[in-house]
Amino acid sequence: MALKMVKGSIDRMFDKNLQDLVRGIRNHKEDEAKYISQCIDEIKQELKQDNIAVKANAVCKLTYLQMLGYDISWAAFNIIEVMSASKFTFKRIGYLAASQSFHEGTDVIMLTTNQIRKDLSSPSQYDTGVALTGLSCFVTPDLARDLANDIMTLMSHTKPYIRKKAVLIMYKVFLKYPESLRPAFPRLKEKLEDPDPGVQSAAVNVICELARRNPKNYLSLAPLFFKLMTSSTNNWVLIKIIKLFGALTPLEPRLGKKLIEPLTNLIHSTSAMSLLYECVNTVIAVLISLSSGMPNHSASIQLCVQKLRILIEDSDQNLKYLGLLAMSKILKTHPKSVQSHKDLILQCLDDKDESIRLRALDLLYGMVSKKNLMEIVKKLMTHVDKAEGTTYRDELLTKIIDICSQSNYQHITNFEWYISILVELTRLEGTRHGHLIAAQMLDVAIRVKAIRKFAVSQMSTLLDNAHLVASSTQRNGICEVLYAATWICGEFSEHLQEPQHTLEAMLRPKVTTLPGHIQAVYVQNVVKLYASILQQKEQAAETEAAQAVTQLMIDRLPQFVQSADLEVQERASCILQLVKHVQKLQAKAVPVAEEVSALFAGELNPVAPKAQKKVPVPEGLDLDAWINEPLSDSESEDEKPKAMFHEEEQRQAKHRLPEVDEEELARRREARKQEQANNPFYIKSSPSPQKRYQDSPGVEHIPVVQIDLSVPLKVPGLPLSDQYVRLEEERRHRQRLEKDKRRKKRRDKEKKGKRRHGSLPTESDEDIAPAQQVDIVTEEMPENALPSDEDDKDPNDPYRALDIDLDKPLADSEKLPVQKHRNAENSKSPEKEDVPVVEKKSKKPKKKEKKHKEKEREKEKKKEKERKDTLSVNTHTDTAPKDEVVEPRREAQDEEDEDQDQEKKPSKHKKKHKKEKEERPKDKKRSRKKLLGSEEAPGEPVQNGALEEGPLPPMSSYSLLAENSYIKMTYGIQGSLQDSQVTVSIILENLSGSVLKSMELSVLDSLNTRMARPEGSSVHDGVPVPFQLPPGVSNEAQFVFTVQSIVMAQKLKGTLSFIAKDDEGATHEKLDFKLHFSCSSYLTTTPCYSDAFAKLLESGDLSMSSIRVDGISMSFQNLLTKICFHHHFSVVERVDSCASMYSRSIQGHHICLLVKKGENSVSVDGKCSDATLLSNVLEEMKATLATC
Amino acid sequence: MIQAILVFNNHGKPRLVRFYQHFPEEIQQQIVRETFHLVLKRDDNICNFLEGGSLIGGSDYKLIYRHYATLYFVFCVDSSESELGILDLIQVFVETLDKCFENVCELDLIFHMDKGGLSAAPARAVSAVKNINLPEIPRNINIGDLNIKVPNLSQFV
């Protein structure tokens, strides 16, 4: 043994260390690969030795090789060995290697669990630290589940170094094991106020990262963050918090209002550019969320735009870039304020920095109008010509198309111009966006009927020159436009000037070099064209010509029949047979044209992209059900389904080919120009666009037209679209003149002899009439499409799982039924014994700490029992059958979450209202509107999950009681289970400029309902309101009423008397009101378990009643929430679109409901121990549902 | 979140590569290569941000880089990071390296991969910066003061 050790250390002397390896690689520049494979062999030898130092050295070298791109996964086991070394220097190497090479697919990773746990609880903080750092890189769901509790303990470690790391790694744990979020969150929240700034900042980071993905769950933390924001001086933390607020404001407009002031202050005061920038960004987010009618915020917008302008004008390119970036956000909501900086942005378009140009391009999108579109696009086209790199040019191309096609071609006044722009774009070499251009061509040709003729003529020219587009392989991407060109020529062949010529162009042998999917379109459209030619010829009785065309088809089609592409082959052979048949008929002089063209009768209309998804599934069709039971796996695995139709496109997109050199390009360009010049069909074939213009009434008399006509259409070297720009200018000029003339005439009529003075009227967007009367065909949707718009969310988003409501346990955890249920169930499982064991294991540190921790633990025990349950399960999961233990638990939690979701809503809203009390209720309506508006705002942050719930309008249990010029009263009623009492909360809001005091509420008691008065006061005395109201302030007062019978709704009359005091003196005022006690207000939200519920129903001593409400579009989830909220029910169980609900009256009546949602209706069946109560409650419910 | 830290030289040789999200080795190399080609063709006097696009993640990610003598320091971050802040972070990172190696140069990174916990240095620098109370280090009061003096990196041939 000793000898072996000695031998090992001698070997080591000859081993290469990392430095030697690096040096060696540098010395073997020529045969690096060979040298490295040699080294890897050596390393393999070293790994076989027992000496841990040798192994560590080998692993260290592997880490370096991994960085160079060599696969080291084969050494995973050795890495684990090194990780478990007792010496820190080795351990660190092991963890480093693991963090670089391990991932979820590494199978040996499950062997590390115990090692990591050991390291986490190591007395040396560095061991713990390195384990945490490593774990953060390769944590898997299993590791996360097993170690969550250990890491959570570390969050309260004595050393800030560990606390900080533990806090940070919790984020990764949450991602992998979302169930841990709820139990761990309270502690994470505590860390926000950690004495160590590092830990605090880590916690801020983690929470911000979580909140960014699911902001709505973190709204309740806003006050805490607000405090941090105003107190912290750490810019990093500030930036994070400010960014977080940016994500929160769209969900809570009131937050935004509060933020504006401190943020504006920061903008003015900070000297840190980064902080300034983030503040501006968040102010923009706030403004977006407040965008609906807030005139007094224009100052903030101005401030932002002004600051951004400073950034953009800065010589620092980074600031310029960021300025433009932020500007584009403002653009979405306040385009006007950005448009005034158009000059600056156009200037940035000429910047030498590509990133900046791209940003400026983004901004252009919002700046175009009918007036300047042509001008801007012209400018972009010159950039396209100049652009050096393909990426930027491609970006330009997409931008041009975006700009032109935005909001249904809103800004395009002349579609001929647009088509010619598209045609010009096809001359770009090597662009990847051929399909984009093609899509635009198709879209315009299909949807703008007036343009078809022109489009067809252009496309036929394009087809004629197809060899230019298709021949050079560089243009691979661009040949997609031929797809569009052929289709347009085929589909609208009636517009073709020389169909025969186009047909020949489409049948050229060159076509067979095109990609398969394009050839297929060629084949298909050749027939369309053929059909229309045939018809023409037959009508003209040129039988020979018709037969000649048929012969041409028969001659040329075989080239497609031989195609390697199946689709092309199939179509070609079908068509060839068809044509042969036609030939036979023609030989017998049978007229065939009608029948052939009947093949293509009817119009193809555009279909909306989402249409397919929106086709409702017919009743009784289960898409997930097997049609035939699946065969055994072995067979089906052999043949993986292939993407038959997309393959081609993908292949194209993949290989981008090198560009041709300048000379070659120049040569080709020349050739093309020649070709165009000689081509009789180029331009001339189209009806000259001016004709159209002449058609417009009254224009002929204007001499400009003649000049216009004399402009030669083919100006060598001048791109086509430029002519349109000029024509368009002239057209607008004419229009203007005409308008002036008309105006003049009118004026002359009105006041003869009076001369008109004043300048030409300025042209506004509205003045410009489009050149063609364009009717843009809208896209078709299936007949009964579902209105939902929730199909944009990605179901695979890893952050969705973290969409967990965190406020719940704090709000009313005791009330939640499933939790209690679960607690009971938990007591059966042996975790309680487990907990202390773990503590002992993990706690070697000092007693003091232990005490402290135990205290904390006890506190927590009281606070959240359920959180412990979930985590403590993990403590004994090392054992093999852990999954059996955990699985059912997780399900339970899921169920619980679901139920809580339903339960939660009411309480959350109640909370909101408490907040609202401080605010002016007047704002309520407004802010509600805003909230709705902001949900549609484009800058909406990532909001995952909650897929089934549509946006839920904020609900209020408070309704208006009475209002006059002084005061506004809103009220809500809550029942309590004691003594048949209900509490009426009245919010009193002072609307006047005077102080309201000595307020007194008097109510005329009925036999049934009485107000509780202070002892000794008589029935006729009022009850004083315990506060005064300064101007603009609101406050809430509560009054208790005793009720005898609750089966009927009640109304009580009352009066509020008060003294309004202002500078001029005091006046006595009164306000009458009627308190309405609905039956629902006598119900209290009481949880019920499904078994108890079932028993209740079985007991049979409940009377039954039911209602049905039609025309409900709200989602079921929202519906339930509404019922829960307004009528104080709780959901017992929910299955699909059916739910059972329960509530209890303050006098102990049970009410059970079965709510079912049909297509458009909701039916509610109720059972209750009192029939009158039930029918009344149901009536009220009907009224509520009717508003859904 | 920082998704990756790449350090490579003027020839695209990786000197320090750290991914905080798993990619197979060949993809990692491809990312390094593509990033290299992206930053290589950019002049020194244009902005330091690049839209990562196809490289890592998607449109949410940005490449933020700085070029010192023979080395490029590239951070790939998502939108939750402040762009200017990351620029400063790179600066602090380089300064940390400078302190570790006394006048850091490319050779140091090559030969001392393992020394001084360099491999963990990025993470350490990140935490260092995030911890420091900025006023304590006067240079960073302006996160985003872009005129910070670049340490003298000796030219490596």
Side-chain angles (χ1 to χ4, degrees):
Chain A
M1 187 64 201
L3 187 67
K4 216 175 178 181
M5 289 287 282
V6 172
K7 192 171 165 273
S9 54
I10 289 174
D11 277 351
R12 271 192 67 203
M13 285 170 62
F14 299 109
D15 282 346
K16 284 195 192 84
N17 61 14
L18 180 58
Q19 263 92 328
D20 299 329
L21 176 75
V22 175
R23 202 170 287 133
I25 293 176
R26 291 173 65 81
N27 290 336
H28 291 78
K29 282 217 167 86
E30 296 78 35
D31 51 349
E32 196 183 292
K34 197 179 147 204
Y35 178 75
I36 288 178
S37 70
Q38 195 187 324
C39 288
I40 289 183
D41 285 341
E42 283 170 24
I43 289 170
K44 280 183 181 163
Q45 289 305 318
E46 286 166 29
L47 286 176
K48 279 181 192 154
Q49 294 183 32
D50 284 338
N51 191 325
I52 190 71
V54 177
K55 269 187 192 161
N57 183 41
V59 168
C60 184
K61 285 190 275 183
L62 281 179
T63 329
Y64 184 75
L65 293 179
Q66 195 272 344
M67 187 187 82
L68 294 183
Y70 292 87
D71 177 36
I72 61 162
S73 56
W74 50 269
F77 189 77
N78 303 102
I79 292 173
I80 295 183
E81 283 180 309
V82 179
M83 274 163 76
S84 55
S86 51
K87 216 172 156 194
F88 176 67
T89 31
F90 299 150
K91 187 186 285 297
R92 200 192 58 189
I93 291 173
Y95 271 105
L96 171 64
S99 67
Q100 270 182 218
S101 63
F102 283 10
H103 54 95
E104 276 188 33
T106 311
D107 43 3
V108 290
I109 215 165
M110 60 186 191
L111 300 177
T112 57
T113 317
N114 275 324
Q115 177 58 39
I116 295 173
R117 177 170 294 145
K118 212 177 101 197
D119 287 336
L120 287 181
S121 53
S122 153
S124 153
Q125 59 165 329
Y126 296 108
D127 281 353
T128 315
V130 84
L132 283 173
T133 317
L135 186 60
S136 71
C137 291
F138 56 81
V139 62
T140 62
D142 284 341
L143 278 177
R145 191 192 57 215
D146 297 346
L147 295 172
N149 203 36
D150 303 65
I151 300 171
M152 225 172 84
T153 326
L154 289 177
M155 278 166 76
S156 358
H157 199 274
T158 43
K159 297 259 180 14
Y161 172 77
I162 300 296
R163 282 209 303 273
K164 181 177 68 196
K165 281 182 186 264
V167 168
L168 284 174
I169 200 186
M170 274 322 271
Y171 176 65
K172 292 276 185 173
V173 173
F174 295 151
L175 277 186
K176 300 288 176 188
Y177 180 55
E179 288 86 340
S180 61
L181 179 56
R182 268 163 52 76
F185 196 72
R187 192 172 294 185
L188 185 61
K189 216 167 117 186
E190 280 168 27
K191 295 294 150 210
L192 281 178
E193 282 154 326
D194 196 278
D196 183 82
V199 181
Q200 191 187 23
S201 140
V204 169
N205 266 305
V206 169
I207 292 181
C208 287
E209 199 63 37
L210 289 170
R212 198 164 70 91
R213 311 293 182 171
N214 300 296
K216 66 178 180 349
N217 300 336
Y218 297 85
L219 272 177
S220 61
L221 288 181
L224 191 58
F225 277 119
F226 194 81
K227 206 180 93 196
L228 270 177
M229 184 177 86
T230 41
S231 60
S232 177
T233 50
N234 182 339
N235 279 359
W236 291 96
V237 170
L238 279 177
I239 288 176
K240 280 282 173 189
I241 293 176
I242 288 169
K243 269 185 174 275
L244 173 69
F245 277 136
L248 291 183
T249 41
L251 302 167
E252 185 53 281
R254 283 173 303 172
L255 176 66
K257 270 186 247 158
K258 274 194 182 150
L259 279 173
I260 290 245
E261 203 203 322
L263 286 180
T264 324
N265 290 343
L266 267 177
I267 290 179
H268 284 302
S269 66
T270 184
S271 57
M273 270 301 185
S274 49
L275 188 57
L276 171 90
Y277 174 68
E278 296 307 338
C279 287
V280 170
N281 250 334
T282 299
V283 171
I284 293 170
V286 169
L287 293 175
I288 289 173
S289 71
L290 293 177
S291 59
S292 47
M294 261 287 174
N296 52 337
H297 286 309
S298 62
S300 309
I301 300 167
Q302 279 315 312
L303 177 69
C304 287
V305 175
Q306 184 196 334
K307 286 281 175 190
L308 290 179
R309 189 174 173 111
I310 293 173
L311 289 187
I312 297 175
E313 280 172 338
D314 199 286
S315 61
D316 188 326
Q317 298 283 3
N318 290 328
L319 297 183
K320 189 175 277 203
Y321 172 87
L322 292 177
L324 289 169
L325 195 65
M327 201 69 120
S328 66
K329 286 181 196 152
I330 302 190
L331 185 71
K332 283 172 199 149
T333 46
H334 301 90
K336 284 264 161 56
S337 33
V338 182
Q339 266 158 9
S340 54
H341 300 281
K342 196 178 126 197
D343 53 321
L344 190 65
I345 283 146
L346 284 178
Q347 203 180 312
C348 289
L349 218 51
D350 294 324
D351 200 282
K352 60 186 182 304
D353 189 341
E354 192 178 298
S355 303
I356 287 178
R357 287 197 305 253
L358 288 176
R359 289 277 77 86
L361 273 181
D362 280 353
L363 280 169
L364 270 188
Y365 182 84
M367 301 207 157
V368 288
S369 61
K370 278 184 182 161
K371 200 165 66 176
N372 61 17
L373 175 73
M374 284 187 164
E375 178 198 338
I376 287 181
V377 171
K378 187 179 162 191
K379 196 170 160 112
L380 292 181
M381 289 300 279
T382 58
H383 277 279
V384 170
D385 288 339
K386 282 191 290 186
E388 59 281 6
T390 44
T391 11
Y392 178 56
R393 210 181 42 194
D394 282 357
E395 190 59 33
L396 272 170
L397 192 155
T398 44
K399 263 301 160 302
I400 291 177
I401 291 179
D402 274 359
I403 288 176
C404 291
S405 61
Q406 70 171 308
S407 33
N408 232 350
Y409 307 105
Q410 181 195 348
H411 299 305
I412 294 185
T413 49
N414 187 334
F415 277 91
E416 290 188 16
W417 164 81
Y418 186 45
I419 292 273
S420 49
I421 284 283
L422 289 175
V423 172
E424 264 174 59
L425 287 175
T426 64
R427 292 177 210 153
L428 287 182
E429 282 93 1
T431 180
R432 281 178 299 151
H433 292 303
H435 61 278
L436 255 183
I437 305 178
Q440 281 292 300
M441 286 174 169
L442 288 172
D443 198 39
V444 172
I446 295 169
R447 294 173 62 188
V448 186
K449 282 189 177 144
I451 203 66
R452 284 183 190 164
K453 193 164 186 167
F454 179 77
V456 166
S457 75
Q458 289 290 299
M459 293 304 124
S460 67
T461 320
L462 202 62
L463 283 181
D464 223 18
N465 300 325
H467 55 282
L468 283 178
V469 179
S471 65
S472 55
T473 36
Q474 284 81 3
R475 292 153 170 257
N476 215 341
I478 206 70
C479 67
E480 289 287 329
V481 296
L482 291 178
Y483 178 104
T486 347
W487 191 87
I488 292 171
C489 284
E491 184 66 25
F492 307 117
S493 49
E494 69 271 18
H495 296 301
L496 273 176
Q497 292 286 307
E498 297 210 26
Q500 184 107 23
H501 186 89
T502 311
L503 183 68
E504 276 166 33
M506 282 162 75
L507 286 170
R508 281 187 201 139
K510 267 269 178 195
V511 173
T512 50
T513 58
L514 290 171
H517 66 286
I518 299 183
Q519 279 187 57
V521 176
Y522 261 85
V523 173
Q524 195 72 12
N525 285 286
V526 158
V527 206
K528 290 187 198 164
L529 203 48
Y530 168 69
S532 84
I533 295 176
L534 217 54
Q535 195 159 28
Q536 257 175 32
K537 299 291 180 199
E538 270 187 24
Q539 272 165 5
E542 299 171 36
T543 32
E544 267 177 41
Q547 280 171 4
V549 176
T550 315
Q551 191 55 46
L552 178 75
M553 291 283 281
I554 289 173
D555 289 345
R556 299 284 179 83
L557 275 175
Q559 62 184 354
F560 293 110
V561 177
Q562 291 155 7
S563 169
D565 191 283
L566 276 181
E567 180 75 15
V568 179
Q569 209 184 76
E570 192 186 0
R571 290 192 190 187
S573 26
C574 274
I575 286 158
L576 186 60
Q577 291 313 314
L578 175 79
V579 177
K580 278 183 181 161
H581 185 67
V582 169
Q583 194 180 32
K584 274 183 211 156
L585 291 176
Q586 277 181 330
K588 293 177 199 158
V590 184
V592 283
E594 282 300 325
E595 282 176 51
V596 177
S597 32
L599 287 176
F600 305 105
E603 192 150 330
L604 291 176
N605 285 330
V607 175
K610 282 180 184 172
Q612 181 67 46
K613 267 192 227 164
K614 304 237 164 167
V615 178
V617 180
E619 248 176 89
L621 173 65
D622 183 3
L623 289 175
D624 295 325
W626 289 106
I627 297 172
N628 296 313
E629 281 304 310
L631 296 172
S632 63
D633 285 355
S634 56
E635 267 177 272
S636 55
E637 250 169 55
D638 298 339
E639 284 181 61
K640 285 189 177 168
K642 261 192 195 168
M644 214 179 278
F645 300 106
H646 290 290
E647 212 181 29
E648 299 292 342
E649 246 170 346
Q650 280 164 4
R651 201 191 305 150
Q652 269 177 18
K654 260 179 224 162
H655 44 88
R656 269 167 53 204
L657 293 127
E659 280 178 81
V660 251
D661 57 323
E662 255 330 288
E663 274 175 76
E664 166 79 346
L665 287 184
R667 204 174 47 71
R668 251 185 235 143
R669 219 168 277 139
E670 264 321 299
R672 194 169 54 237
K673 269 182 205 155
Q674 277 288 310
E675 173 84 26
Q676 283 164 2
N678 297 334
N679 189 339
F681 302 105
Y682 198 70
I683 307 299
K684 279 183 193 162
S685 64
S686 70
S688 74
Q690 287 86 347
K691 268 182 192 162
R692 260 170 227 268
Y693 306 145
Q694 279 182 325
D695 291 345
S696 38
V699 182
E700 301 98 301
H701 318 294
I702 304 166
V704 190
V705 181
Q706 263 88 46
I707 302 165
D708 186 18
L709 271 171
S710 68
V711 174
L713 271 180
K714 259 195 297 161
V715 189
L718 188 70
L720 192 59
S721 60
D722 280 4
Q723 297 164 356
Y724 282 104
V725 176
R726 217 166 47 220
L727 287 173
E728 182 68 18
E729 271 162 20
E730 278 155 11
R731 188 179 70 87
R732 284 182 195 170
H733 182 68
R734 274 198 312 272
Q735 257 178 7
R736 215 156 43 209
L737 282 182
E738 197 189 338
K739 210 174 276 172
D740 284 352
K741 216 162 87 181
R742 250 186 270 142
R743 207 173 291 158
K744 213 164 158 187
K745 264 185 200 163
R746 211 183 305 140
R747 211 167 295 181
D748 283 352
K749 266 183 202 167
E750 283 164 4
K751 290 188 179 182
K752 269 188 181 171
K754 193 170 185 185
R755 291 228 69 162
R756 172 194 167 205
H757 43 85
S759 58
L760 279 173
T762 47
E763 200 176 3
S764 76
D765 247 17
E766 288 70 27
D767 289 341
I768 305 168
Q772 291 99 355
Q773 262 317 308
V774 177
D775 82 296
I776 296 178
V777 185
T778 47
E779 292 160 327
E780 285 190 340
M781 285 291 255
E783 272 163 35
N784 35 5
L786 306 164
S788 72
D789 236 330
E790 290 175 347
D791 31 19
D792 301 327
K793 289 174 186 166
D794 177 12
N796 297 323
D797 192 339
Y799 304 105
R800 241 183 83 196
L802 285 181
D803 190 4
I804 295 168
D805 204 320
L806 297 160
D807 304 332
K808 240 176 293 171
L810 310 169
D812 45 11
S813 49
E814 314 82 37
K815 265 191 190 173
L816 292 173
V818 198
Q819 275 181 356
K820 276 180 195 163
H821 193 58
R822 247 167 41 76
N823 277 346
E825 182 195 273
N826 284 344
S827 56
K828 289 173 210 158
S829 58
E831 305 128 11
K832 273 189 183 164
E833 289 114 56
D834 274 19
V835 178
V837 178
V838 178
E839 271 178 335
K840 265 178 223 162
K841 232 199 260 174
S842 65
K843 239 167 273 161
K844 281 168 196 167
K846 293 165 199 168
K847 274 183 189 169
K848 220 182 186 179
E849 187 197 9
K850 206 169 175 182
K851 247 187 209 166
H852 168 73
K853 252 183 218 166
E854 256 157 22
K855 227 187 240 169
E856 210 173 71
R857 200 164 273 271
E858 242 157 52
K859 241 190 262 164
E860 276 156 21
K861 252 182 215 167
K862 274 179 205 161
K863 249 198 241 164
E864 320 88 354
K865 270 188 188 168
E866 93 281 6
R867 124 175 156 191
K868 197 149 222 192
D869 301 336
T870 27
L871 267 203
S872 51
V873 178
N874 303 325
T875 56
H876 63 131
T877 42
D878 296 8
T879 48
K882 60 188 175 188
D883 284 340
E884 289 167 12
V885 186
V886 176
E887 283 317 316
R889 175 61 34 76
R890 268 203 235 159
E891 272 166 36
Q893 173 128 7
D894 284 350
E895 271 167 37
E896 173 209 24
D897 278 354
E898 205 172 286
D899 282 9
Q900 280 174 345
D901 259 353
Q902 292 155 10
E903 295 252 28
K904 221 268 108 167
K905 288 265 151 67
S907 66
K908 197 171 168 186
H909 285 288
K910 262 179 221 158
K911 239 170 110 193
K912 239 185 212 166
H913 288 294
K914 257 169 219 158
K915 259 192 237 158
E916 259 169 22
K917 275 173 224 154
E918 291 134 37
E919 303 235 11
R920 305 180 56 181
K922 211 182 186 180
D923 283 347
K924 246 192 262 173
K925 273 185 198 166
R926 219 191 278 162
S927 65
R928 200 176 307 164
K929 257 186 225 158
K930 251 172 261 144
L931 190 63
L932 285 174
S934 68
E935 267 159 348
E936 286 151 18
E940 194 186 355
V942 202
Q943 224 193 102
N944 305 313
L947 270 182
E948 4 168 35
E949 304 166 41
L952 185 69
M955 297 184 287
S956 171
S957 61
Y958 286 74
S959 47
L960 185 69
L961 185 59
E963 183 176 19
N964 66 9
S965 57
Y966 285 99
I967 194 162
K968 184 177 165 188
M969 300 164 72
T970 44
Y971 78 117
I973 305 174
Q974 281 134 15
S976 66
L977 283 171
Q978 307 154 0
D979 319 325
S980 306
Q981 283 186 342
V982 289
T983 309
V984 178
S985 313
I986 302 182
I987 298 176
L988 300 155
E989 191 201 356
N990 187 349
L991 301 177
S992 67
S994 31
V995 180
L996 305 183
K997 54 186 193 178
S998 309
M999 285 184 280
E1000 219 176 43
L1001 193 84
S1002 41
V1003 174
L1004 279 175
D1005 289 356
S1006 71
L1007 283 174
N1008 192 27
T1009 313
R1010 292 167 202 275
M1011 181 153 78
R1013 296 183 170 84
E1015 262 181 64
S1017 53
S1018 82
V1019 193
H1020 303 291
D1021 285 343
V1023 175
V1025 178
F1027 49 74
Q1028 299 190 345
L1029 284 180
V1033 170
S1034 65
N1035 206 337
E1036 185 182 20
Q1038 295 194 326
F1039 304 91
V1040 177
F1041 287 79
T1042 331
V1043 196
Q1044 276 180 351
S1045 161
I1046 58 153
V1047 298
M1048 299 278 275
Q1050 308 266 334
K1051 270 188 182 157
L1052 286 189
K1053 276 187 184 175
T1055 313
L1056 179 81
S1057 59
F1058 54 89
I1059 297 171
K1061 191 185 176 187
D1062 57 13
D1063 295 344
E1064 282 143 41
T1067 46
H1068 246 285
E1069 297 290 341
K1070 264 187 184 178
L1071 178 60
D1072 292 324
F1073 58 81
K1074 265 187 193 167
L1075 269 174
H1076 180 77
F1077 292 88
S1078 66
C1079 283
S1080 300
S1081 59
Y1082 296 130
L1083 301 182
T1084 53
T1085 313
T1086 321
C1088 180
Y1089 313 124
S1090 51
D1091 46 354
F1093 188 76
K1095 251 180 220 161
L1096 199 61
L1097 289 180
E1098 276 164 22
S1099 66
D1101 42 22
L1102 303 180
S1103 49
M1104 171 151 174
S1105 171
S1106 61
I1107 53 161
R1108 185 185 159 85
V1109 186
D1110 285 311
I1112 285 176
S1113 53
M1114 198 181 238
S1115 83
F1116 190 55
Q1117 173 67 59
N1118 288 352
L1119 203 84
L1120 291 183
T1121 314
K1122 249 193 152 154
I1123 296 178
C1124 287
F1125 182 66
H1126 288 295
H1127 302 286
H1128 312 287
F1129 276 86
S1130 61
V1131 178
V1132 178
E1133 208 167 14
R1134 183 184 160 190
V1135 183
D1136 293 332
S1137 53
C1138 184
S1140 49
M1141 307 178 91
Y1142 175 79
S1143 185
R1144 209 173 141 189
S1145 77
I1146 52 172
Q1147 294 180 343
H1149 303 94
H1150 303 284
I1151 303 190
C1152 307
L1153 294 184
L1154 181 66
V1155 185
K1156 279 189 200 163
K1157 183 156 168 42
E1159 190 74 69
N1160 264 321
S1161 64
V1162 170
S1163 65
V1164 183
D1165 297 330
K1167 284 194 171 183
C1168 177
S1169 31
D1170 188 296
T1172 330
L1173 178 65
L1174 178 65
S1175 65
N1176 282 329
V1177 168
L1178 286 183
E1179 268 326 296
E1180 285 166 21
M1181 203 170 287
K1182 199 169 178 176
T1184 316
L1185 292 178
T1187 62
C1188 294
Chain B
M1 283 259 287
I2 298 174
Q3 290 298 325
I5 297 174
L6 314 174
V7 180
F8 45 76
N9 72 356
N10 286 351
H11 305 289
K13 284 261 179 216
R15 291 301 175 219
L16 194 151
V17 177
R18 199 80 167 84
F19 285 89
Y20 295 96
Q21 181 187 345
H22 181 259
F23 290 104
E25 276 79 14
E26 57 273 29
I27 305 285
Q28 291 189 358
Q29 292 304 308
Q30 195 188 335
I31 292 174
V32 173
R33 262 197 312 279
E34 276 182 40
T35 316
F36 169 66
H37 286 300
L38 277 179
V39 294
L40 182 69
K41 60 181 178 204
R42 296 175 66 83
D43 292 339
D44 272 348
N45 55 353
I46 60 178
C47 78
N48 299 81
F49 311 117
L50 267 171
E51 256 104 308
S54 60
L55 288 174
I56 302 179
S59 55
D60 198 31
Y61 292 93
K62 267 204 189 77
L63 296 175
I64 299 177
Y65 75 97
R66 271 183 182 249
H67 187 202
Y68 296 98
T70 61
L71 287 176
Y72 283 98
F73 289 75
V74 185
F75 279 46
C76 178
V77 300
D78 66 14
S79 60
S80 68
E81 298 293 340
S82 154
E83 291 88 345
L84 295 173
I86 294 292
L87 273 181
D88 279 7
L89 186 64
I90 300 180
Q91 178 65 29
V92 174
F93 176 39
V94 173
E95 281 177 26
T96 317
L97 290 180
D98 200 34
K99 265 182 204 145
C100 287
F101 295 113
E102 287 187 14
N103 227 345
V104 68
C105 74
E106 194 188 344
L107 268 180
D108 287 321
L109 285 193
I110 299 169
F111 284 108
H112 301 285
M113 261 297 284
D114 56 335
K115 284 262 172 69
L118 174 58
S119 38
R124 200 168 285 181
V126 174
S127 54
V129 173
K130 296 207 161 168
N131 295 342
I132 46 170
N133 244 337
L134 289 162
E136 289 166 20
I137 298 182
R139 255 191 183 172
N140 288 303
I141 288 181
N142 288 343
I143 336 179
D145 172 3
L146 294 154
N147 304 316
I148 330 176
K149 195 178 123 258
V150 174
N152 291 325
L153 296 180
S154 46
Q155 197 72 27
F156 172 70
V157 192

